[in-house]
Amino acid sequence: MADARDDGYGPGSEAGSTARAAEGDRGFLGEVRDAVSTRSALVMLGVLLLQLGFALSYMGAFHAPEPHKVPITLVAPPAVERDLVARLDALPGDPLQVTPVADRAEARARLLDRRTDAALVVDPASRRDTLLVASAGGPSATTAATEILQEVARAQERTIVVRDLRAPSAGDSRGLSSFYLVLSWTIGGYLAASALNMAAGSKKPTLRRTLVRLAAMLPYGFVSGIGGALIVGPVLDCLPGAFWELAGIGTLVVFASGAVGVALQSVAGTVGLGLTILIFTVLGNPSSGGVYPSSLLPPFWAAIGQALPPGAGTTVVRNTVYFDGNATTGALWILGAWAFGGVAVAILAAALREKRKREPRTPSAVPA
């Protein structure tokens, strides 16, 4: 009886080696197709776009900050007020936006109400003027205004004495703690929403599951708010005081971020997470005013900053801690609008999906 291995395909035969090589090639290509499917390739493309967008957004916003219409209040005698306002408004590039007021008390009130970044008080009896600032509202804006006004004063052979009415706390020397606190809250919110989505698989959520996810964001937001307030308060002493106010702000910021994350992932699945990162991190953080205020940012970032949750949240935290809650109403409405919008879109998307599933399908016509 002939050996079965002698059919030309035995282990030592040339045909057998060729067949095994072909199977090996097909196996490797199959592994490649499994590892890099069309879906995963599209996900990688999305990640690449987010990566490049991150670099473009941050460097576009921060690479060359230039002052533009920094709000300045002026107190000067009528004899020199008009001439000085005209001189400051005529500076190349429009770095300042000057508002004359009647007296020092009004200038001080505008500064602490966050209606101005600096107040120049001209002393007609001497050659030394006073510049009132509140650097806790953003040291970069204070520095820009001070440098511009000191240069103007030198040209007139005058000097300026700077008085900081509201400096950052010792643990917040660069005035960035508000920004980083809100950054942690927004990222935590949308990552928590993403975790809820991944835990349930890739299927679009039902209405009941959407309601559960939104409800889960409330206690998560409250715990996040408490944790953030503890870190910047008792633990690090960055933003002392206003503990419960910060806890409430944190709850709102985290819930808004989480609700938007739930909504976008309910509508677009994995792509929704990318859209959330685009809104909150790629666009929201560099435009927030945490590092540079809108008056030092390019027009696009200056225009969108306070309309997005990171900017609104940073404004609310900073003004609550340092300025007795002045100029926070608009920013709180922005945060509330994002939270409400996220809830509404998430519920509406899930309800419409369930409605489509319940609708009877018309059977296709069978050809005769």
Side-chain angles (χ1 to χ4, degrees):
M1 180 181 292
D3 193 331
R5 290 173 297 179
D6 294 336
D7 59 358
Y9 291 93
S13 69
E14 182 178 349
S17 299
T18 303
R20 286 193 302 275
E23 290 175 0
D25 289 342
R26 286 197 299 273
F28 174 73
L29 293 175
E31 289 291 336
V32 171
R33 284 192 295 270
D34 289 340
V36 189
S37 63
T38 301
R39 178 182 176 83
S40 62
L42 291 174
V43 170
M44 290 179 68
L45 176 61
V47 171
L48 175 63
L49 293 176
L50 281 176
Q51 171 191 323
L52 297 177
F54 185 94
L56 175 62
S57 185
Y58 276 72
M59 287 184 277
F62 297 156
H63 78 287
E66 290 288 341
H68 181 70
K69 294 188 179 298
V70 178
I72 299 296
T73 297
L74 175 65
V75 181
V80 300
E81 179 186 286
R82 180 177 297 181
D83 179 66
L84 185 53
V85 169
R87 183 180 292 110
L88 294 175
D89 284 342
L91 291 173
D94 292 329
L96 303 179
Q97 185 174 30
V98 184
T99 302
V101 298
D103 53 37
R104 185 183 182 120
E106 186 178 353
R108 175 188 172 92
R110 287 176 59 85
L111 184 65
L112 297 181
D113 287 348
R114 305 311 301 136
R115 288 178 289 164
T116 191
D117 284 336
L120 178 63
V121 182
V122 177
D123 183 0
S126 73
R127 304 199 66 80
R128 188 172 70 172
D129 304 321
T130 302
L131 182 64
L132 306 178
V133 300
S135 60
S140 55
T142 298
T143 300
T146 301
E147 290 176 351
I148 293 169
L149 290 171
Q150 284 179 335
E151 185 176 346
V152 172
R154 282 193 296 269
Q156 296 180 302
E157 298 183 350
R158 300 182 68 87
T159 60
I160 288 181
V161 177
V162 179
R163 299 192 184 280
D164 197 342
L165 302 185
R166 198 61 56 86
S169 66
D172 184 29
S173 59
R174 298 183 61 194
L176 295 176
S177 297
S178 301
F179 166 66
Y180 286 120
L181 177 61
V182 173
L183 174 63
S184 71
W185 281 336
T186 54
I187 292 177
Y190 69 68
L191 287 183
S194 179
L196 290 172
N197 184 63
M198 290 188 293
S202 59
K203 292 183 178 180
K204 299 289 181 66
T206 62
L207 178 59
R208 179 178 298 178
R209 180 168 290 171
T210 296
L211 293 173
V212 170
R213 291 180 182 179
L214 291 170
M217 292 308 306
L218 278 173
Y220 179 83
F222 181 68
V223 173
S224 298
I226 292 287
L230 282 171
I231 290 172
V232 298
V235 176
L236 298 178
D237 200 34
C238 300
L239 302 173
F243 177 87
W244 288 109
E245 291 89 339
L246 287 179
I249 295 166
T251 303
L252 177 57
V253 170
V254 174
F255 181 78
S257 175
V260 172
V262 170
L264 292 179
Q265 290 178 72
S266 176
V267 171
T270 304
V271 175
L273 175 59
L275 293 175
T276 309
I277 295 173
L278 175 67
I279 293 170
F280 285 90
T281 302
V282 175
L283 296 177
N285 287 339
S287 65
S288 67
V291 178
Y292 294 116
S294 60
S295 55
L296 269 67
L297 293 175
F300 172 74
W301 288 268
I304 67 173
Q306 292 304 304
L308 299 178
T314 299
T315 295
V316 173
V317 170
R318 182 177 281 163
N319 290 0
T320 296
V321 172
Y322 290 119
F323 299 99
D324 303 318
N326 289 318
T328 58
T329 302
L332 286 170
W333 276 106
I334 291 293
L335 291 172
W338 278 94
F340 177 80
V343 170
V345 169
I347 292 175
L348 182 61
L352 289 176
R353 258 194 316 272
E354 292 200 351
K355 182 181 178 182
R356 285 196 296 268
K357 287 182 179 179
R358 289 194 300 266
E359 289 176 350
R361 295 185 179 181
T362 305
S364 302
V366 178

